[in-house]
Amino acid sequence: MKKSLGIKTTGSLTPVWIIGSYDAQYKANIMAVAWGGFCCSKPPMVTISLRKATYTYDCIMSRKAYTVNIPSVDQLVAADYVGIYSGRNHNKFEDCSLTEVKSDLVDAPIVKEFPVVIECRLERTVELGYHTMFVGEIADVKVDDTALDADGKPDIAKIQPIVYSAGCSVYHAVGDFLGKAYDIGKKVT
Amino acid sequence: MKKSLGIKTTGSLTPVWIIGSYDAQYKANIMAVAWGGFCCSKPPMVTISLRKATYTYDCIMSRKAYTVNIPSVDQLVAADYVGIYSGRNHNKFEDCSLTEVKSDLVDAPIVKEFPVVIECRLERTVELGYHTMFVGEIADVKVDDTALDADGKPDIAKIQPIVYSAGCSVYHAVGDFLGKAYDIGKKVT
């Protein structure tokens, strides 16, 4: 028996993504976004959603670029911190003892200590309501060499990313390997 | 030391979402989408991305509605199956022994056996390239009463959702609880 919870953003997970950007004076900032994901394979694109009130909104509008930095479970305290406080009043790189590295491809900073970064050029914005979508064209994906598997692909067990539960405001680790896509489903027939 | 993996959609997780829709003749279909997530809080909205070649693309265009159905780990075989085969040649509800229930709010079918459904009205489409984004306004979120916590919120430990690792084509379960959002980050100061 299903229970109606109403018109809200609840019931699903979202990956924890930390957005890096520069303001007009090249101060680097990082912010946690609740809403984000890949949105196109060719050209490879991601989308993140931001409120106009955020510092990062102004930064991306001014630089037309951002990075998606993916923290590990042992970096959760910093990842949550950068979603609580605004870059207008805080230098969040310093507060969290994180190192900013300028991307050589897009006009945005990378978090050196996080295992994955997706570098993006702003492709367009889409006005939705409280949030604006920032569609970014991927310029590169960089992963710590210690977080790659034997085939050179990102290894989830080594990255140890965090998922966020929308509506419950809790974080979880990623658990057991369950199966291969486009493969385990063939058991149906 | 970070290694460049190139311009591709890799390195991050995405939730496993199964999209329900009707075609012009009211045949119900389900399909796994790789790209999807919440995208706005007010009004509450989701986005999914589909290729024009898919059957679901035509279905949503004709009915202006879809459902996001979230399976549990023990429903992974069906969840993967509906991403392999097309609804043009298969009745995927029947093949997977799943039950379609018509939404009373939007013109789309719900997967009865999956613990969570997000019912959506198509708000707009955004052409990106290989994929088209379908932005949906949430009409309701319904969750099995056995998957709610004591406060009536969705309980991740009971829903047991699946995450998909883009770029590696593997599924993982959700693991340990790590902390509360807007809270654990306060340890920085």
Side-chain angles (χ1 to χ4, degrees):
Chain A
M1 180 70 187
K2 282 193 169 57
K3 188 177 172 193
S4 166
L5 302 187
I7 301 170
K8 55 180 71 165
T9 49
T10 192
S12 184
L13 297 169
T14 183
V16 170
W17 279 11
I18 307 301
I19 306 306
S21 62
Y22 288 123
D23 72 8
Q25 286 73 44
Y26 271 104
K27 178 186 159 190
N29 187 43
I30 37 176
M31 175 202 183
V33 285
W35 312 146
F38 294 115
C39 63
C40 188
S41 299
K42 292 182 194 173
M45 290 179 167
V46 302
T47 179
I48 58 170
S49 291
L50 295 167
R51 290 174 296 113
K52 284 197 169 66
T54 63
Y55 190 53
T56 297
Y57 181 100
D58 292 339
C59 292
I60 299 177
M61 284 306 226
S62 101
R63 294 285 162 197
K64 310 294 187 202
Y66 60 88
T67 59
V68 175
N69 301 272
I70 299 177
S72 286
V73 293
D74 59 3
Q75 294 156 337
L76 173 60
V77 171
D80 190 52
Y81 178 86
V82 303
I84 300 175
Y85 302 101
S86 172
R88 284 204 180 81
N89 323 312
H90 292 263
N91 184 323
K92 293 189 265 186
F93 273 100
E94 278 186 16
D95 294 350
C96 298
S97 304
L98 293 171
T99 311
E100 59 169 280
V101 179
K102 190 180 181 325
S103 163
D104 55 1
L105 295 173
V106 305
D107 201 3
I110 291 168
V111 182
K112 185 183 175 188
E113 289 81 1
F114 290 1
V116 178
V117 63
I118 304 170
E119 297 159 277
C120 305
R121 289 185 195 97
L122 182 63
E123 197 264 344
R124 78 182 83 179
T125 58
V126 181
E127 297 296 334
L128 293 178
Y130 199 56
H131 284 85
T132 301
M133 255 201 275
F134 286 76
V135 177
E137 209 168 315
I138 297 174
D140 196 12
V141 179
K142 292 184 173 75
V143 179
D144 282 353
D145 51 11
T146 53
L148 297 171
D149 66 16
D151 299 324
K153 290 186 176 176
D155 188 329
I156 293 301
K158 293 176 179 170
I159 295 172
Q160 296 192 276
I162 307 158
V163 290
Y164 173 64
S165 174
C168 316
S169 301
V170 293
Y171 298 109
H172 282 256
V174 171
D176 294 340
F177 169 81
L178 297 175
K180 293 183 76 169
Y182 310 107
D183 179 59
I184 193 170
K186 292 176 183 167
K187 290 185 186 173
V188 164
T189 45
Chain B
M1 180 69 187
K2 282 191 170 56
K3 189 176 171 194
S4 166
L5 302 187
I7 302 171
K8 53 180 73 166
T9 49
T10 191
S12 184
L13 297 169
T14 182
V16 170
W17 279 11
I18 307 302
I19 306 306
S21 63
Y22 288 124
D23 72 7
Q25 285 74 45
Y26 270 106
K27 179 188 160 189
N29 187 43
I30 39 177
M31 177 203 183
V33 286
W35 311 148
F38 293 116
C39 63
C40 187
S41 299
K42 292 179 192 174
M45 288 177 169
V46 302
T47 180
I48 58 170
S49 291
L50 295 168
R51 290 174 295 114
K52 283 196 171 65
T54 62
Y55 190 52
T56 298
Y57 181 99
D58 292 338
C59 292
I60 300 177
M61 284 306 225
S62 100
R63 294 286 163 197
K64 310 294 185 201
Y66 60 88
T67 58
V68 175
N69 301 272
I70 300 177
S72 286
V73 293
D74 60 3
Q75 293 156 337
L76 174 60
V77 171
D80 190 52
Y81 178 85
V82 303
I84 299 175
Y85 302 101
S86 170
R88 283 202 181 83
N89 322 312
H90 291 263
N91 183 321
K92 293 190 265 186
F93 274 99
E94 279 186 15
D95 293 351
C96 298
S97 303
L98 293 171
T99 312
E100 59 169 281
V101 178
K102 191 182 181 322
S103 162
D104 55 1
L105 294 172
V106 305
D107 201 4
I110 292 168
V111 181
K112 184 182 176 189
E113 289 81 0
F114 290 1
V116 178
V117 62
I118 305 170
E119 296 160 277
C120 304
R121 288 184 196 97
L122 182 63
E123 198 265 343
R124 80 182 80 178
T125 59
V126 181
E127 297 296 334
L128 294 177
Y130 199 55
H131 284 85
T132 301
M133 254 201 275
F134 286 75
V135 177
E137 208 169 314
I138 297 174
D140 196 12
V141 179
K142 292 185 173 76
V143 179
D144 281 353
D145 50 12
T146 53
L148 298 171
D149 67 16
D151 299 324
K153 290 185 177 175
D155 187 329
I156 292 301
K158 293 175 179 170
I159 295 172
Q160 296 191 273
I162 308 157
V163 290
Y164 173 65
S165 173
C168 316
S169 302
V170 293
Y171 297 109
H172 281 256
V174 171
D176 293 340
F177 169 82
L178 297 174
K180 292 182 75 170
Y182 310 107
D183 180 59
I184 193 169
K186 292 175 183 167
K187 289 185 185 173
V188 165
T189 44

